[in-house]
Amino acid sequence: MVKKVNVGDIVIGEGRFVLVAGPCVLESLPLALEVASEVKGICDELGLRYIFKSSFDKANRTSIHSFRGPGLEVGLRWLGEVKSTVGVPVLTDIHEPAQAAPVAEVADVLQIPAFLCRQTDLLVSAAKTGKPLNIKKAQFVSPYDMRFVLEKAKEAGNDQVILCERGTTFGYKQLVVDFRSIPIMRSFGCPVMFDATHSVQMPGGLGGASGGDRKFVAPLARAAVSIGIDALFMEVHPNPDEAKSDGPNMIALSDLKGLLAQLIALDDLVKSELGYVDIEEVLPR
């Protein structure tokens, strides 16, 4: 039985997948408002529930010279503006335990970055805010071991947890998606999100920055939806090739509506005719 996660009036874990989308990093307030407004309009037209995503600080950039974002204070102000102006919930990630409380005052969902999903102090601090959590599976972690990550949040008093698949390290500078992870993690009793854009990332693939190949976003997203997911994470940008972070794996805002229409048609078919690909509860290996 999957525990539903409530984000305002959005329920993750029932019905159509929920879209989590936005630019990788907060580049400017006008850009954030533009993306949030356009994506919300598309989702309203298609009958899709939407949560805006962007980061106030990308603390895990490849190079120390890479753009990281506006920082905590300015970033939270911008996220609050997006939330109030566009009328959408917001999700952002935290990197340090001390960030949990102030971010929870603005964000509707706290995200734990993949590299940090085993950091107990960070997980506990985030869980204790009482806000829903989206915990990304690290590129080096087995989906079976995400049970223990989930248990840390629950032991800290928070069962409003989503687990997120975003690819697994495959040699150097390459990721591969093991789609077994979706039913495995869902068997732990929590909704599962698929991160379609970070799954095509090539970590450090451009030397001092990460590369990626966005042409694989659509096929991977379709594969995940066919298994049955509760939420879909995609980073979008009006001009991905000019984005200040993760441009190669982000999709263009102009391509979003067509892709979502395909995924909704598939999602509706799967959930009405076939259902989720469920497996019996599994034990970590």
Side-chain angles (χ1 to χ4, degrees):
M1 183 69 177
V2 169
K3 173 73 175 180
K4 295 178 178 60
V5 172
N6 299 286
V7 182
D9 60 357
I10 295 175
V11 180
I12 301 175
E14 67 175 18
R16 280 183 180 170
F17 66 83
V18 174
L19 179 67
V20 176
C24 176
V25 65
L26 288 166
E27 299 180 17
S28 70
L29 178 56
L31 177 70
L33 290 169
E34 175 191 353
V35 173
S37 297
E38 187 159 341
V39 177
K40 183 179 186 298
I42 292 170
C43 288
D44 287 347
E45 181 179 346
L46 296 177
L48 204 58
R49 296 157 296 173
Y50 171 53
I51 298 171
F52 175 80
K53 179 273 165 186
S54 198
S55 301
F56 59 82
D57 180 19
K58 300 298 293 183
N60 56 352
R61 295 302 304 274
T62 303
S63 169
I64 196 170
H65 302 294
S66 297
F67 178 77
R68 289 181 52 167
L72 179 66
E73 183 177 349
V74 173
L76 289 181
R77 187 164 68 245
W78 290 359
L79 287 170
E81 186 72 20
V82 168
K83 184 176 177 177
S84 60
T85 302
V86 184
V88 291
V90 298
L91 174 152
T92 197
D93 36 18
I94 61 173
H95 294 84
E96 302 172 7
Q99 293 176 341
V103 172
E105 293 180 7
V106 176
D108 300 277
V109 183
L110 302 187
Q111 180 166 279
I112 305 299
F115 286 136
L116 302 177
C117 75
R118 290 172 58 97
Q119 297 298 104
T120 301
D121 291 345
L122 181 64
L123 286 166
V124 170
S125 297
K128 285 185 175 179
T129 67
K131 288 297 182 76
L133 308 180
N134 181 42
I135 306 175
K136 291 195 168 186
K137 179 180 74 63
Q139 301 90 327
F140 49 85
V141 169
S142 157
Y144 295 99
D145 292 337
M146 290 301 289
R147 174 192 291 269
F148 303 114
V149 173
L150 179 62
E151 287 177 355
K152 288 179 182 180
K154 288 184 174 180
E155 287 289 332
N158 194 333
D159 63 359
Q160 292 285 285
V161 178
I162 308 153
L163 296 180
C164 181
E165 165 61 37
R166 53 93 69 230
T168 300
T169 301
F170 184 74
Y172 295 120
K173 305 182 188 300
Q174 291 287 337
L175 299 175
V176 65
V177 177
D178 179 358
F179 285 102
R180 293 177 298 179
S181 67
I182 292 174
I184 288 170
M185 293 193 296
R186 205 168 188 275
S187 77
F188 302 152
C190 63
V192 169
M193 182 182 301
F194 178 64
D195 181 343
T197 48
H198 284 105
S199 290
V200 303
Q201 190 181 57
M202 297 176 182
L206 298 179
S210 291
D213 195 343
R214 69 177 66 95
K215 69 174 176 283
F216 293 112
V217 170
L220 290 183
R222 288 173 64 166
V225 168
S226 71
I227 294 170
I229 55 173
D230 304 288
L232 178 67
F233 182 109
M234 289 195 295
E235 289 184 330
V236 297
H237 194 283
N239 301 292
D241 292 333
E242 298 178 10
K244 295 184 178 181
S245 177
D246 272 358
N249 51 269
M250 281 199 284
I251 66 169
L253 198 51
S254 59
D255 294 331
L256 182 63
K257 183 178 178 180
L259 176 55
L260 288 178
Q262 292 181 17
L263 298 176
I264 289 169
L266 182 58
D267 189 64
D268 288 349
L269 172 64
V270 166
K271 289 174 181 170
S272 64
E273 301 293 334
L274 303 175
Y276 291 86
V277 174
D278 286 326
I279 57 176
E280 294 182 4
E281 188 170 348
V282 296
L283 296 175
R285 291 179 178 176

